[in-house]
Amino acid sequence: MSEQWLVEAVAASRLSFPPGFPRDIAAEAPLRHPLDLVGMPGLTVEGIRQWLVQRGLPDELSGADRRLYGCMVARAGAAALFFDSDDSEAEQRFTLAHEVAHYVLDHLLPRARALDFFGEDILPVLDGERAPRVDEYMDSRFSDVPLGLQVHLMDRGEGGDADSGAVLLAEQRADHLALELLAPMTAARAQLNEVSATEGPRRLETVFGLPTAAARTYARMLRKRRRHPEFSVIDFFGDDER
């Protein structure tokens, strides 16, 4: 695991699992962070909206109703992580890891950067209690420190696919961090070294509890890394086998 952003994100997650796999992220993540894990059968955008309204929380979701694997809604350092309870155990495990990754990458770390840059006086802005002053807004733009509420990136096209480069990159990074949390690269490589390339994805499914599609993608990525030491988004997502 050589990418510095990934090293920092794993450290920021503060997750500490007992030896062995598969890892129980549903049990561990709420012990480390103020997270509410919410399972809904047939998860949809509208179902999440109703959940928020019923609890008197602001509806910060945008876009048309559609089916979802998962979603994160974060505010003031805490978050609700939604997943489809009809999915398989492996799919739920990966979805929760993906949403934990969004919490770390898109809420926890930006919040920490803003506090480090502006100090505690910026907390009311981060928590949505006041708008940023002009000087705070300008400083945030020039220093690339985000202000305001940090929420899961929900912008999608009509078919549910990411329709902007920023959303695509955020989803790729969340997938990459989720895989590192559930199946650390060194451990996954060791498993792949014991079997043929054809058997590799199945070994990742069995040992780490990954869903089939994620296991296939991860096995391909690790094989390519042996040929190309430097990681690239194209290596991770750029072929047509998915």
Side-chain angles (χ1 to χ4, degrees), residues 95-167:
T95 294
L96 283 174
H98 178 93
E99 300 308 330
V100 168
H102 272 302
Y103 170 75
V104 172
L105 295 170
D106 301 327
H107 186 73
L108 193 66
L109 289 177
R111 185 178 175 86
R113 288 199 304 273
L115 284 170
D116 183 62
F117 186 85
F118 291 100
E120 294 291 324
D121 290 345
I122 205 66
L123 267 177
V125 177
L126 296 177
D127 295 347
E129 297 172 2
R130 71 170 176 85
R133 299 189 307 266
V134 173
D135 63 312
E136 292 170 335
Y137 175 77
M138 295 302 294
D139 283 344
S140 72
R141 293 298 297 268
F142 285 114
S143 59
D144 196 28
V145 174
L147 296 180
L149 301 178
Q150 303 296 309
V151 299
H152 178 68
L153 300 174
M154 294 285 292
D155 299 327
R156 297 291 188 273
E158 292 182 1
D161 297 324
D163 59 2
S164 77
V167 173

Side-chain angles (χ1 to χ4, degrees), residues 8-98:
E8 293 173 356
V10 170
S13 75
R14 305 203 308 271
L15 300 183
S16 178
F17 297 96
F21 300 97
R23 288 177 163 178
D24 190 353
I25 198 163
E28 174 65 15
L31 298 178
R32 306 294 174 176
H33 302 282
L35 300 175
D36 190 5
L37 309 186
V38 184
M40 289 186 184
L43 182 67
T44 63
V45 172
E46 184 58 32
I48 296 173
R49 286 193 180 113
Q50 292 177 11
W51 188 92
L52 294 171
V53 169
Q54 289 169 3
R55 287 156 181 79
L57 299 173
D59 175 7
E60 296 161 354
L61 303 185
S62 62
D65 190 29
R66 60 187 175 88
R67 286 292 297 270
L68 301 169
Y69 282 103
C71 177
M72 179 202 75
V73 178
R75 184 182 182 89
L81 308 184
F82 298 86
F83 62 96
D84 191 333
S85 57
D86 284 340
D87 281 343
S88 68
E89 181 179 346
E91 288 286 0
Q92 291 182 38
R93 179 183 295 108
F94 187 74
T95 294
L96 283 174
H98 178 93

